[in-house]
Amino acid sequence: MTLSLRIHERMLSNAFDLGIFEQVIRSYADGHLPVSEVKGPDFPVLGDHFHPVLALVAPFYRLWPGPQVLLVVQAALIAVSVLPLALWARRALGSGAAAVIGTCYGLSWGLANAAGFDFHEVAFAVPLLACSLAALGSDRLRAAACWAVPLVLVKEDLGLTVAVIGFLIARRGERRLGIATAAAGLVGTALAMLVILPAFNPQGSYAYTHWLTTDTGAEGGGEGGWLDLLYKVTIGLITPEAKVTTLLFLLAPTLFLALRSPLLWVALPTLVWRFASGLWTHWGTSYHYSIVLMPIVFAAFIDALVRRESSGVSLRRYLVGSAAITALLLPQFPLWQLAKPETWRPDPRVAVAHKLMDRIPDGATVQASNQLVPQLTDRTSVSLYGWGDSRPDPEWIMVDTEVPQQRKWPLSVGEERISLDRALAQGYRTAAEQAGFVLLTRSG
């Protein structure tokens, strides 16, 4: 929580995704179906991804309107997910093992990346998966099914994860329960992707099939045919090397012992869609995409230790190895920012930005730079400056012209300068310009 709140305070959170998700939850809090101005004028977000679980955050948002409530909820969901895994480890392996495994899981890089990159609906999946897999590993099969089925309300692809859990339940002897759980997952995903999302989407289709049919990787790419799709779901699952690196980072904290547990199969749907995707950001260890994999991997680790009947020296060896690898990985991921002085050093530009944003009235239509958007989503109708789908002709424009080129998005420095000149030529006037921030308005 401290990390994500500090990132937001330093104006390093983003329109995609904190801005979008705050607009979604603000919609629920106002009593209507979710829309996001960042995605487009009055864009119906239930046509983008299926995540009705976010309505649960609306009561908290009404009490404390602002992006901070989303970050606190996400941190709480991650923290709660430690408990079922640690309690299972304590029952099966002892208190020492529970402390080490709980700590390694809580500090794991997949959770850290999610906490360090805005807010995402998949945070709700983490405690559900932890509870379901802890129950499954303890042969409490009905509880495992009950915790798994709500995943269909978190995101459209997670019904496939539910189906795998159902298969494992059936494999452990509860055949009817397992089949019912798997069917619920498959039907949930089918309804979301084939019925609900197309019904709300302005284009009348599921928006993300192009991830499988189009190559948008780092080397460029173009439209792919069936041969390309076949390649992506075979050899393409382990190439390029970023995918193998991700697998190594996932399994290394368990000393690869997780491979010996059937619970690891639950990770397959997420890994397959990510590695078959043509979008290169899905392949690696960055962003939030691995958050749902962490409870699966650590549940598989516990299950494998139990199956091996590890105890004494053998158990300590695995626990020490897991802790050592977790410690070695820690400096490469966002939690390490908490130890850096620059994280806590005040930036005078932040105060300037807020002083200028205070001049924008509540309810105004605004286009703003990427990292200014989440500072305005709680009280204005804000979209992303330079994004082609943003609402045209807003009442206000606010741009941070001093963002480093590597973080400048969606416009380059040159494109941004041209765009600002064009706005001035079209009737906007400069309301303020200070410390690299430019505030334009149409109002008198």
mmCIF file with all atom_site columns, all heavy atoms in Angstrom, residues 194-208:
data_model
loop_
_atom_site.group_PDB
_atom_site.id
_atom_site.type_symbol
_atom_site.label_atom_id
_atom_site.label_alt_id
_atom_site.label_comp_id
_atom_site.label_asym_id
_atom_site.label_entity_id
_atom_site.label_seq_id
_atom_site.pdbx_PDB_ins_code
_atom_site.Cartn_x
_atom_site.Cartn_y
_atom_site.Cartn_z
_atom_site.occupancy
_atom_site.B_iso_or_equiv
_atom_site.pdbx_formal_charge
_atom_site.auth_seq_id
_atom_site.auth_comp_id
_atom_site.auth_asym_id
_atom_site.auth_atom_id
_atom_site.pdbx_PDB_model_num
ATOM 1   N N   . LEU A 1 194 ? -18.516 -14.092 -25.664 1.00 0.00 ? 194 LEU A N   1
ATOM 2   C CA  . LEU A 1 194 ? -19.341 -14.247 -26.866 1.00 0.00 ? 194 LEU A CA  1
ATOM 3   C C   . LEU A 1 194 ? -20.665 -13.503 -26.795 1.00 0.00 ? 194 LEU A C   1
ATOM 4   O O   . LEU A 1 194 ? -21.284 -13.247 -27.831 1.00 0.00 ? 194 LEU A O   1
ATOM 5   C CB  . LEU A 1 194 ? -19.613 -15.733 -27.134 1.00 0.00 ? 194 LEU A CB  1
ATOM 6   C CG  . LEU A 1 194 ? -18.380 -16.613 -27.317 1.00 0.00 ? 194 LEU A CG  1
ATOM 7   C CD1 . LEU A 1 194 ? -18.792 -18.066 -27.532 1.00 0.00 ? 194 LEU A CD1 1
ATOM 8   C CD2 . LEU A 1 194 ? -17.532 -16.121 -28.485 1.00 0.00 ? 194 LEU A CD2 1
ATOM 9   N N   . VAL A 1 195 ? -21.108 -13.150 -25.576 1.00 0.00 ? 195 VAL A N   1
ATOM 10  C CA  . VAL A 1 195 ? -22.425 -12.513 -25.445 1.00 0.00 ? 195 VAL A CA  1
ATOM 11  C C   . VAL A 1 195 ? -22.318 -11.133 -24.790 1.00 0.00 ? 195 VAL A C   1
ATOM 12  O O   . VAL A 1 195 ? -22.667 -10.118 -25.401 1.00 0.00 ? 195 VAL A O   1
ATOM 13  C CB  . VAL A 1 195 ? -23.385 -13.414 -24.640 1.00 0.00 ? 195 VAL A CB  1
ATOM 14  C CG1 . VAL A 1 195 ? -24.757 -12.731 -24.490 1.00 0.00 ? 195 VAL A CG1 1
ATOM 15  C CG2 . VAL A 1 195 ? -23.539 -14.773 -25.305 1.00 0.00 ? 195 VAL A CG2 1
ATOM 16  N N   . ILE A 1 196 ? -21.838 -11.091 -23.552 1.00 0.00 ? 196 ILE A N   1
ATOM 17  C CA  . ILE A 1 196 ? -21.911 -9.843  -22.784 1.00 0.00 ? 196 ILE A CA  1
ATOM 18  C C   . ILE A 1 196 ? -20.990 -8.772  -23.345 1.00 0.00 ? 196 ILE A C   1
ATOM 19  O O   . ILE A 1 196 ? -21.426 -7.641  -23.622 1.00 0.00 ? 196 ILE A O   1
ATOM 20  C CB  . ILE A 1 196 ? -21.582 -10.127 -21.309 1.00 0.00 ? 196 ILE A CB  1
ATOM 21  C CG1 . ILE A 1 196 ? -22.591 -11.114 -20.723 1.00 0.00 ? 196 ILE A CG1 1
ATOM 22  C CG2 . ILE A 1 196 ? -21.583 -8.821  -20.505 1.00 0.00 ? 196 ILE A CG2 1
ATOM 23  C CD1 . ILE A 1 196 ? -22.248 -11.614 -19.336 1.00 0.00 ? 196 ILE A CD1 1
ATOM 24  N N   . LEU A 1 197 ? -19.713 -9.100  -23.523 1.00 0.00 ? 197 LEU A N   1
ATOM 25  C CA  . LEU A 1 197 ? -18.767 -8.098  -24.026 1.00 0.00 ? 197 LEU A CA  1
ATOM 26  C C   . LEU A 1 197 ? -19.131 -7.598  -25.420 1.00 0.00 ? 197 LEU A C   1
ATOM 27  O O   . LEU A 1 197 ? -19.135 -6.378  -25.663 1.00 0.00 ? 197 LEU A O   1
ATOM 28  C CB  . LEU A 1 197 ? -17.344 -8.664  -23.987 1.00 0.00 ? 197 LEU A CB  1
ATOM 29  C CG  . LEU A 1 197 ? -16.766 -8.843  -22.578 1.00 0.00 ? 197 LEU A CG  1
ATOM 30  C CD1 . LEU A 1 197 ? -15.503 -9.689  -22.606 1.00 0.00 ? 197 LEU A CD1 1
ATOM 31  C CD2 . LEU A 1 197 ? -16.477 -7.501  -21.930 1.00 0.00 ? 197 LEU A CD2 1
ATOM 32  N N   . PRO A 1 198 ? -19.479 -8.465  -26.378 1.00 0.00 ? 198 PRO A N   1
ATOM 33  C CA  . PRO A 1 198 ? -19.914 -7.955  -27.687 1.00 0.00 ? 198 PRO A CA  1
ATOM 34  C C   . PRO A 1 198 ? -21.172 -7.097  -27.603 1.00 0.00 ? 198 PRO A C   1
ATOM 35  O O   . PRO A 1 198 ? -21.332 -6.143  -28.373 1.00 0.00 ? 198 PRO A O   1
ATOM 36  C CB  . PRO A 1 198 ? -20.162 -9.226  -28.499 1.00 0.00 ? 198 PRO A CB  1
ATOM 37  C CG  . PRO A 1 198 ? -19.288 -10.260 -27.859 1.00 0.00 ? 198 PRO A CG  1
ATOM 38  C CD  . PRO A 1 198 ? -19.315 -9.931  -26.407 1.00 0.00 ? 198 PRO A CD  1
ATOM 39  N N   . ALA A 1 199 ? -22.081 -7.415  -26.666 1.00 0.00 ? 199 ALA A N   1
ATOM 40  C CA  . ALA A 1 199 ? -23.315 -6.641  -26.553 1.00 0.00 ? 199 ALA A CA  1
ATOM 41  C C   . ALA A 1 199 ? -23.044 -5.205  -26.114 1.00 0.00 ? 199 ALA A C   1
ATOM 42  O O   . ALA A 1 199 ? -23.730 -4.270  -26.552 1.00 0.00 ? 199 ALA A O   1
ATOM 43  C CB  . ALA A 1 199 ? -24.267 -7.318  -25.567 1.00 0.00 ? 199 ALA A CB  1
ATOM 44  N N   . PHE A 1 200 ? -22.038 -5.016  -25.280 1.00 0.00 ? 200 PHE A N   1
ATOM 45  C CA  . PHE A 1 200 ? -21.724 -3.671  -24.798 1.00 0.00 ? 200 PHE A CA  1
ATOM 46  C C   . PHE A 1 200 ? -20.694 -2.956  -25.677 1.00 0.00 ? 200 PHE A C   1
ATOM 47  O O   . PHE A 1 200 ? -20.638 -1.725  -25.678 1.00 0.00 ? 200 PHE A O   1
ATOM 48  C CB  . PHE A 1 200 ? -21.194 -3.733  -23.362 1.00 0.00 ? 200 PHE A CB  1
ATOM 49  C CG  . PHE A 1 200 ? -22.259 -3.913  -22.322 1.00 0.00 ? 200 PHE A CG  1
ATOM 50  C CD1 . PHE A 1 200 ? -22.564 -5.168  -21.835 1.00 0.00 ? 200 PHE A CD1 1
ATOM 51  C CD2 . PHE A 1 200 ? -22.969 -2.826  -21.838 1.00 0.00 ? 200 PHE A CD2 1
ATOM 52  C CE1 . PHE A 1 200 ? -23.542 -5.340  -20.870 1.00 0.00 ? 200 PHE A CE1 1
ATOM 53  C CE2 . PHE A 1 200 ? -23.950 -2.975  -20.872 1.00 0.00 ? 200 PHE A CE2 1
ATOM 54  C CZ  . PHE A 1 200 ? -24.249 -4.247  -20.380 1.00 0.00 ? 200 PHE A CZ  1
ATOM 55  N N   . ASN A 1 201 ? -19.867 -3.718  -26.377 1.00 0.00 ? 201 ASN A N   1
ATOM 56  C CA  . ASN A 1 201 ? -18.801 -3.099  -27.162 1.00 0.00 ? 201 ASN A CA  1
ATOM 57  C C   . ASN A 1 201 ? -19.357 -2.340  -28.357 1.00 0.00 ? 201 ASN A C   1
ATOM 58  O O   . ASN A 1 201 ? -20.211 -2.861  -29.080 1.00 0.00 ? 201 ASN A O   1
ATOM 59  C CB  . ASN A 1 201 ? -17.826 -4.181  -27.641 1.00 0.00 ? 201 ASN A CB  1
ATOM 60  C CG  . ASN A 1 201 ? -16.581 -3.585  -28.264 1.00 0.00 ? 201 ASN A CG  1
ATOM 61  O OD1 . ASN A 1 201 ? -16.593 -3.174  -29.425 1.00 0.00 ? 201 ASN A OD1 1
ATOM 62  N ND2 . ASN A 1 201 ? -15.511 -3.530  -27.501 1.00 0.00 ? 201 ASN A ND2 1
ATOM 63  N N   . PRO A 1 202 ? -18.917 -1.105  -28.596 1.00 0.00 ? 202 PRO A N   1
ATOM 64  C CA  . PRO A 1 202 ? -19.423 -0.336  -29.741 1.00 0.00 ? 202 PRO A CA  1
ATOM 65  C C   . PRO A 1 202 ? -19.196 -1.022  -31.084 1.00 0.00 ? 202 PRO A C   1
ATOM 66  O O   . PRO A 1 202 ? -19.947 -0.771  -32.034 1.00 0.00 ? 202 PRO A O   1
ATOM 67  C CB  . PRO A 1 202 ? -18.628 0.979   -29.649 1.00 0.00 ? 202 PRO A CB  1
ATOM 68  C CG  . PRO A 1 202 ? -18.235 1.099   -28.216 1.00 0.00 ? 202 PRO A CG  1
ATOM 69  C CD  . PRO A 1 202 ? -18.004 -0.307  -27.750 1.00 0.00 ? 202 PRO A CD  1
ATOM 70  N N   . GLN A 1 203 ? -18.174 -1.873  -31.194 1.00 0.00 ? 203 GLN A N   1
ATOM 71  C CA  . GLN A 1 203 ? -17.914 -2.585  -32.445 1.00 0.00 ? 203 GLN A CA  1
ATOM 72  C C   . GLN A 1 203 ? -18.679 -3.901  -32.536 1.00 0.00 ? 203 GLN A C   1
ATOM 73  O O   . GLN A 1 203 ? -18.611 -4.586  -33.555 1.00 0.00 ? 203 GLN A O   1
ATOM 74  C CB  . GLN A 1 203 ? -16.410 -2.866  -32.575 1.00 0.00 ? 203 GLN A CB  1
ATOM 75  C CG  . GLN A 1 203 ? -15.533 -1.636  -32.476 1.00 0.00 ? 203 GLN A CG  1
ATOM 76  C CD  . GLN A 1 203 ? -15.867 -0.586  -33.524 1.00 0.00 ? 203 GLN A CD  1
ATOM 77  O OE1 . GLN A 1 203 ? -16.114 -0.932  -34.680 1.00 0.00 ? 203 GLN A OE1 1
ATOM 78  N NE2 . GLN A 1 203 ? -15.897 0.675   -33.128 1.00 0.00 ? 203 GLN A NE2 1
ATOM 79  N N   . GLY A 1 204 ? -19.370 -4.293  -31.467 1.00 0.00 ? 204 GLY A N   1
ATOM 80  C CA  . GLY A 1 204 ? -20.170 -5.496  -31.486 1.00 0.00 ? 204 GLY A CA  1
ATOM 81  C C   . GLY A 1 204 ? -19.381 -6.791  -31.446 1.00 0.00 ? 204 GLY A C   1
ATOM 82  O O   . GLY A 1 204 ? -19.860 -7.833  -31.900 1.00 0.00 ? 204 GLY A O   1
ATOM 83  N N   . SER A 1 205 ? -18.163 -6.753  -30.895 1.00 0.00 ? 205 SER A N   1
ATOM 84  C CA  . SER A 1 205 ? -17.329 -7.962  -30.836 1.00 0.00 ? 205 SER A CA  1
ATOM 85  C C   . SER A 1 205 ? -16.432 -7.889  -29.609 1.00 0.00 ? 205 SER A C   1
ATOM 86  O O   . SER A 1 205 ? -16.312 -6.844  -28.963 1.00 0.00 ? 205 SER A O   1
ATOM 87  C CB  . SER A 1 205 ? -16.471 -8.089  -32.105 1.00 0.00 ? 205 SER A CB  1
ATOM 88  O OG  . SER A 1 205 ? -15.586 -6.979  -32.224 1.00 0.00 ? 205 SER A OG  1
ATOM 89  N N   . TYR A 1 206 ? -15.805 -9.023  -29.294 1.00 0.00 ? 206 TYR A N   1
ATOM 90  C CA  . TYR A 1 206 ? -14.827 -9.039  -28.220 1.00 0.00 ? 206 TYR A CA  1
ATOM 91  C C   . TYR A 1 206 ? -13.583 -8.308  -28.687 1.00 0.00 ? 206 TYR A C   1
ATOM 92  O O   . TYR A 1 206 ? -13.055 -8.582  -29.769 1.00 0.00 ? 206 TYR A O   1
ATOM 93  C CB  . TYR A 1 206 ? -14.509 -10.477 -27.817 1.00 0.00 ? 206 TYR A CB  1
ATOM 94  C CG  . TYR A 1 206 ? -13.482 -10.601 -26.718 1.00 0.00 ? 206 TYR A CG  1
ATOM 95  C CD1 . TYR A 1 206 ? -13.621 -9.887  -25.531 1.00 0.00 ? 206 TYR A CD1 1
ATOM 96  C CD2 . TYR A 1 206 ? -12.375 -11.433 -26.866 1.00 0.00 ? 206 TYR A CD2 1
ATOM 97  C CE1 . TYR A 1 206 ? -12.681 -10.004 -24.519 1.00 0.00 ? 206 TYR A CE1 1
ATOM 98  C CE2 . TYR A 1 206 ? -11.433 -11.566 -25.849 1.00 0.00 ? 206 TYR A CE2 1
ATOM 99  C CZ  . TYR A 1 206 ? -11.587 -10.841 -24.679 1.00 0.00 ? 206 TYR A CZ  1
ATOM 100 O OH  . TYR A 1 206 ? -10.651 -10.947 -23.669 1.00 0.00 ? 206 TYR A OH  1
ATOM 101 N N   . ALA A 1 207 ? -13.095 -7.390  -27.882 1.00 0.00 ? 207 ALA A N   1
ATOM 102 C CA  . ALA A 1 207 ? -12.096 -6.428  -28.357 1.00 0.00 ? 207 ALA A CA  1
ATOM 103 C C   . ALA A 1 207 ? -10.681 -6.985  -28.478 1.00 0.00 ? 207 ALA A C   1
ATOM 104 O O   . ALA A 1 207 ? -9.834  -6.356  -29.117 1.00 0.00 ? 207 ALA A O   1
ATOM 105 C CB  . ALA A 1 207 ? -12.067 -5.217  -27.426 1.00 0.00 ? 207 ALA A CB  1
ATOM 106 N N   . TYR A 1 208 ? -10.401 -8.166  -27.899 1.00 0.00 ? 208 TYR A N   1
ATOM 107 C CA  . TYR A 1 208 ? -9.003  -8.562  -27.763 1.00 0.00 ? 208 TYR A CA  1
ATOM 108 C C   . TYR A 1 208 ? -8.620  -9.842  -28.489 1.00 0.00 ? 208 TYR A C   1
ATOM 109 O O   . TYR A 1 208 ? -7.560  -10.405 -28.219 1.00 0.00 ? 208 TYR A O   1
ATOM 110 C CB  . TYR A 1 208 ? -8.639  -8.660  -26.275 1.00 0.00 ? 208 TYR A CB  1
ATOM 111 C CG  . TYR A 1 208 ? -8.738  -7.310  -25.606 1.00 0.00 ? 208 TYR A CG  1
ATOM 112 C CD1 . TYR A 1 208 ? -9.820  -6.996  -24.792 1.00 0.00 ? 208 TYR A CD1 1
ATOM 113 C CD2 . TYR A 1 208 ? -7.781  -6.327  -25.837 1.00 0.00 ? 208 TYR A CD2 1
ATOM 114 C CE1 . TYR A 1 208 ? -9.928  -5.745  -24.213 1.00 0.00 ? 208 TYR A CE1 1
ATOM 115 C CE2 . TYR A 1 208 ? -7.876  -5.078  -25.263 1.00 0.00 ? 208 TYR A CE2 1
ATOM 116 C CZ  . TYR A 1 208 ? -8.957  -4.784  -24.440 1.00 0.00 ? 208 TYR A CZ  1
ATOM 117 O OH  . TYR A 1 208 ? -9.055  -3.544  -23.885 1.00 0.00 ? 208 TYR A OH  1
#
